[in-house]
Amino acid sequence: MRARAGKWSFVSDQRVQQLQRQVRVKEERIIELETENAILHLKLAEYQEVIGKSSREATKYYFLYNEKQHLQRSIHSTLIQLYQVIQKLKQDIKELHSSSLILVRNYQGQYQDCLSGIVAAIQRTQLYNETLQAYQSRAVLLEQSLQEINEQYQIEKQKRKLLHNSLVELKGNIRVHCRIRPLLPFDNELDDPVLQNSSLCEKVIHAVDDETVLVKCNRPGHPLINKTYNFERVYGPAESQRIVFEEMRPLLISLLDGYNVCVMAYGQTGSGKSYTMLGPYSKDEPALPSECHDDLGIIPRAAEELFRLISENPSRSPRVEVSIVEVYNNEIFDLLAKDSSTLVSGVKRDVITSREGKKELLQLTSESVSSAGEFMNLVTGGLQLRAKHPTWVHADSSRSHLVITATLTAAASPGSAASDQMPLKAPSCPSPPPSVRGERPRAARRASSPGPAPVGPAEPLRQAQARLQLVDLAGSECIGASGVTGLARRETSCINRSLAALADVLGALAEHRGHVPYRNSKLTHFLQDSIGGDAKLLVILCVSPCQKSLAETLQCLGFGTRARRVQRGQAKRRGFPASGKPR
Ligand code: ADP
Ligand code: MG
């Protein structure tokens, strides 16, 4: 049994072992399967993730697909619209094409018309050109003959001028020149700002040619003025001091030939009288003449020319003496009078008339000069004493008449008539004590001996004198315009009265009246010999070109016109040694 039991246990062991092996196999299989299962789980998870991703992609693709569908639909509809537009455009193009065809056809028709028009025009132009050439050659011929006529005219004009001058000389007419000054900055300085830049600053006075002044004014509300005035010479605003002097230069030759000569500037304040006569010397602080040579006026130029002419004939050099006088408030002041006490100056003188009816000026200081420089030094000194008072019209207006006299004394030429000779005079009456201008005390000056240098009692030599008077008159504006009162009003009234007296004298001379009222004013009395006597007298009318001075300008031009009518008989020579120059 034991064997059997052993056998059995052996069998069962085997069986157990077999089973154990089977179990181990199964367990290994289980482990394998579990491993496989785990791997499969992993794969499953991977696949699930892939599936999740795929489903998201699928959704996306679905939306995209939808969108694509939508886009396709809208593209389709756009294409349809485009197609319609293209169809429309095609239609339009077709219409345009047909209308352009019509236009082209029309254009071609018109082009043909134009072409034939142009051809006709060219033919006409050719004809015109030929005519024009004919006219041009005719114009050249006319121009040539015009030039010849012009040259002839200039020659004739010159001749006429010479004849006119001789006539003036023979009749003893007063020569009248007119100078129109340029518009200047102060012309725009009106007191009323409303009037500034108004027509008051417009130019109404014009130089038409060198003998004619035109006054043209058509201001609304005022009478129309369109008037011309003729004078021996008219200077436009651009004409220089040199030109003005050149015109009076022949008078200096006449002076050296023994004629008395007087040049006076007449016009309203600010019209250029002092500029014309003196130039920069008329200013309170004159610039050096070397700096402003072009501006020099008649007086410095005449001084220069006088001594140049004298130097041309040294053997017959006349002695030159200068006196400077101012007529202020109807009183005559000797601006060269010197007082040894050096306390006062501006010595008052008076005009008296001798028994022979000759005018004499007592105690008038005259100083001998031998060069233009000395002459002008005296003038500068005298000018510093000249009365000045600013008015509204012009801030630097001279309130007195200035008379510069150069007396030339030379041995009389042999054979000259005794009546033509002016022997030098010794003082004939005692001089009254000089009175002094009360209004403005001045530096003292020496009172010199009267008249030119004395002649010894036994001296048989007869001498002749010729006199050059250069006059810068005070302004002729009316009291209302200049807006002055008090002392200045008295000054203005004296100026106006003396200028009125001058006009009266000219009127009496022009009408050959028996009585000429020289003594109505000191100015006319003092200038009697030059105005009414045998001097060659040149009046330079100075006028402003602007509208606001029109009344004064018309008055001035009227004065000049009256002066031109005066016939005083031929000027007389003074038995002077002739210069031999043309006059
Ligand atoms: P009047 O002596 O007549 O009162 P002025 O000679 O003093 O006048 O002239 C007034 C101003 O006009 C001055 O400043 C002067 O320099 C200027 N003037 C006058 N005439 C001319 C001219 N022809 N060219 C340039 N300036 C001029
Ligand atoms: Mg002046």
Side-chain angles (χ1 to χ4, degrees), residues 198-265:
S198 72
S199 59
L200 286 181
C201 313
E202 253 172 40
K203 261 176 93 168
V204 293
I205 314 293
H206 311 270
V208 178
D209 57 36
D210 63 357
E211 290 180 357
T212 318
V213 177
L214 169 68
V215 184
K216 190 165 187 176
C217 177
N218 49 3
R219 219 172 131 213
H222 288 77
L224 174 85
I225 303 174
N226 191 356
K227 209 170 169 188
T228 54
Y229 294 82
N230 289 311
F231 300 108
E232 270 69 42
R233 180 69 163 86
V234 171
Y235 308 98
E239 290 191 81
S240 65
Q241 295 280 71
R242 189 185 58 75
I243 291 174
V244 175
F245 172 69
E246 282 304 318
E247 293 284 336
M248 73 74 64
R249 212 161 69 92
L251 290 177
L252 292 175
I253 298 166
S254 293
L255 174 74
L256 282 166
D257 281 348
Y259 291 93
N260 284 340
V261 169
C262 175
V263 180
M264 65 169 75

Side-chain angles (χ1 to χ4, degrees), residues 273-274 398 472:
K273 298 179 299 299
S274 302
S398 34
D472 178 18

Side-chain angles (χ1 to χ4, degrees), residues 206-506:
H206 311 270
V208 178
D209 57 36
D210 63 357
E211 290 180 357
T212 318
V213 177
L214 169 68
V215 184
K216 190 165 187 176
C217 177
N218 49 3
R219 219 172 131 213
H222 288 77
L224 174 85
I225 303 174
N226 191 356
K227 209 170 169 188
T228 54
Y229 294 82
N230 289 311
F231 300 108
E232 270 69 42
R233 180 69 163 86
V234 171
Y235 308 98
E239 290 191 81
S240 65
Q241 295 280 71
R242 189 185 58 75
I243 291 174
V244 175
F245 172 69
E246 282 304 318
E247 293 284 336
M248 73 74 64
R249 212 161 69 92
L251 290 177
L252 292 175
I253 298 166
S254 293
L255 174 74
L256 282 166
D257 281 348
Y259 291 93
N260 284 340
V261 169
C262 175
V263 180
M264 65 169 75
Y266 180 99
Q268 154 192 34
T269 297
S271 59
K273 298 179 299 299
S274 302
Y275 178 79
T276 300
M277 295 307 290
L278 290 152
Y281 284 97
S282 65
K283 304 278 177 198
D284 279 341
E285 287 167 10
L288 288 176
S290 54
E291 287 170 17
C292 47
H293 190 267
D294 290 349
D295 277 339
L296 289 181
I298 285 175
I299 293 172
R301 284 173 198 266
E304 198 70 45
E305 179 66 4
L306 177 63
F307 284 97
R308 195 191 66 75
L309 289 171
I310 289 174
S311 70
E312 279 184 352
N313 193 352
S315 61
R316 293 250 165 121
S317 290
R319 192 170 67 248
V320 181
E321 280 154 319
V322 175
S323 63
I324 305 179
V325 152
E326 145 180 78
V327 183
Y328 175 72
N329 280 356
N330 207 30
E331 300 289 2
I332 293 175
F333 291 89
D334 181 347
L335 296 186
L336 290 188
K338 293 169 186 166
D339 192 313
S340 53
S341 67
T342 67
L343 287 174
V344 285
S345 78
V347 179
K348 196 160 93 179
R349 307 290 188 206
D350 216 344
V351 189
I352 60 157
T353 312
S354 69
R355 252 179 263 122
E356 305 89 60
K358 292 260 179 198
K359 173 184 71 70
E360 239 356 274
L361 198 64
L362 276 185
Q363 284 288 36
L364 193 60
T365 310
S366 57
E367 291 201 11
S368 200
V369 290
S370 54
S371 69
E374 284 180 21
F375 189 118
M376 288 316 295
N377 279 345
L378 283 183
V379 171
T380 312
L383 283 173
Q384 276 160 13
L385 300 175
R386 196 178 175 194
K388 285 192 175 168
H389 180 92
T391 67
W392 292 354
V393 177
H394 176 49
D396 182 29
S397 78
S398 34
R399 312 297 298 152
S400 64
H401 310 293
L402 177 78
V403 185
I404 297 173
T405 309
T407 309
L408 275 62
T409 311
S413 58
S416 59
S419 61
D420 286 350
Q421 297 170 3
M422 291 179 64
L424 301 177
K425 293 182 184 76
S428 53
C429 23
S431 53
S435 60
V436 177
R437 246 164 59 175
E439 291 91 341
R440 294 178 305 124
R442 295 172 163 179
R445 309 288 308 264
R446 166 181 62 80
S448 83
S449 60
V455 180
E459 205 169 353
L461 184 69
R462 294 195 69 79
Q463 291 187 301
Q465 286 184 334
R467 199 179 49 221
L468 169 68
Q469 277 190 317
L470 301 161
V471 187
D472 178 18
L473 291 172
S476 58
E477 69 277 1
C478 62
I479 289 175
S482 59
V484 290
T485 52
L487 174 64
R489 194 177 177 89
R490 179 166 131 71
E491 284 176 349
T492 309
S493 136
C494 283
I495 293 166
N496 287 346
R497 267 188 281 143
S498 59
L499 293 174
L502 184 60
D504 289 346
V505 164
L506 293 180

Side-chain angles (χ1 to χ4, degrees), residues 11-41:
V11 173
S12 57
D13 279 350
Q14 275 186 338
R15 185 70 188 145
V16 167
Q17 281 176 0
Q18 196 184 1
L19 286 170
Q20 279 177 337
R21 270 196 308 272
Q22 279 180 350
V23 166
R24 269 200 304 273
V25 169
K26 293 286 179 198
E27 280 173 351
E28 279 169 11
R29 183 70 187 142
I30 287 167
I31 289 165
E32 257 174 41
L33 285 172
E34 275 176 355
T35 309
E36 245 170 66
N37 187 31
I39 288 166
L40 283 171
H41 263 96

